[in-house]
Amino acid sequence: MANTRKTSHSVLNRYFPIADAVAALFKPHVEVVIHDLTRHQIAYIVNAFSKRRVGDSSAGERFDEAVLEQDVIGPYRKVNRDGHNLRSITATLRDDQARPIAMMCINFDVSVLESIGEQLASLAFLPSSLEPHAPFFHDNWRQALERAVGEFETRHGMAASLMDPRTRRQLIGELDAAGLLSVRNSPPVVAKRLGISRASLYSYLKNIRGS
């Protein structure tokens, strides 16, 4: 057992520069940890924002043998000790006989991206229902129309031009509720986007607004 441990530890040294390179590229947001499976402890760690050190126990990071048959495990979600969300991935490191001897875990702290995402979402926020006379700039209105129709098409898995009358009626109702059909000269543009005639659009609107 002593010889096995010595051999595995010396083999792990070849992976340390890889850990250094990955951590340097994404510093300070990525931590790289190499867990020695023969000693059940951390053999190497770079950019240690989890506050762990070489020699610390790896008991909480162990995978069963079936999982270690995979070369790459993940990505998967973890939570750091400070509460930050991590996106992690693990590579199984093997000796010259292809036996798993260590795990290289790459932990990406995504808290900064989550914060940026929340800020972008607040800036891009478009109410689902607008006041009937809410003003649209021409370009903004077209963008809002395309986004609303595109999202509806995605939800239903088909283009607007291929929708049955009931589904198309639902779409037109949502566009009308969002104020997108209250804009001056909007019906011809909406009808063209939906692949129907203006007469058909007016017929749908009459039915929707009269119900």
Side-chain angles (χ1 to χ4, degrees):
M1 179 63 72
N3 290 336
T4 302
R5 288 185 173 182
K6 182 177 180 180
T7 301
S8 66
H9 191 69
S10 63
V11 170
L12 291 184
N13 292 341
R14 69 179 66 163
Y15 296 104
F16 294 172
I18 300 175
D20 290 334
V22 173
L25 181 62
F26 296 102
K27 188 176 182 179
H29 305 296
V30 167
E31 169 190 78
V32 184
V33 191
I34 295 180
H35 298 278
D36 188 335
L37 292 174
T38 62
R39 302 185 181 191
H40 306 302
Q41 64 184 31
I42 293 175
Y44 197 69
I45 186 167
V46 193
N47 191 31
F49 53 60
S50 62
K51 308 304 181 184
R52 292 174 292 178
R53 297 179 297 178
V54 171
D56 283 355
S57 173
S58 294
E61 302 285 343
R62 296 176 63 183
F63 292 105
D64 59 40
E65 293 184 6
V67 175
L68 291 174
E69 292 178 1
Q70 305 175 46
D71 290 327
V72 178
I73 304 162
Y76 51 91
R77 180 179 179 275
K78 291 173 60 178
V79 179
N80 195 26
R81 297 178 182 182
D82 59 8
H84 287 183
N85 287 326
L86 306 177
R87 181 174 171 82
S88 301
I89 193 166
T90 293
T92 304
L93 308 183
R94 305 180 188 279
D95 62 15
D96 294 337
Q97 286 72 47
R99 296 172 300 192
I101 57 171
M103 304 180 303
M104 179 185 290
C105 296
I106 302 172
N107 301 314
F108 178 22
D109 185 339
V110 297
S111 59
V112 173
L113 294 181
E114 289 176 332
S115 176
I116 293 173
E118 291 171 359
Q119 293 177 48
L120 289 175
S122 67
L123 289 173
F125 173 69
L126 179 68
S128 58
S129 178
L130 299 170
E131 294 296 326
H133 303 292
F136 279 105
F137 289 108
H138 185 66
D139 288 344
N140 290 347
W141 174 80
R142 285 182 176 273
Q143 292 171 10
L145 171 65
E146 183 56 41
R147 180 166 56 249
V149 175
E151 289 177 352
F152 191 94
E153 289 175 327
T154 299
R155 292 202 311 269
H156 290 268
M158 68 179 70
S161 60
L162 300 177
M163 292 176 182
D164 58 61
R166 188 169 69 106
T167 306
R168 186 177 292 120
R169 182 184 186 280
Q170 181 184 348
L171 169 56
I172 293 171
E174 290 187 11
L175 297 178
D176 191 38
L180 291 167
L181 282 160
S182 299
V183 177
R184 184 180 179 183
N185 298 323
S186 64
V189 179
V190 174
K192 182 177 180 180
R193 177 62 180 84
L194 303 187
I196 59 176
S197 66
R198 277 182 282 177
S200 294
L201 177 62
Y202 286 126
S203 177
Y204 277 111
L205 280 175
K206 180 179 179 181
N207 181 271
I208 291 168
R209 292 172 178 176
S211 59

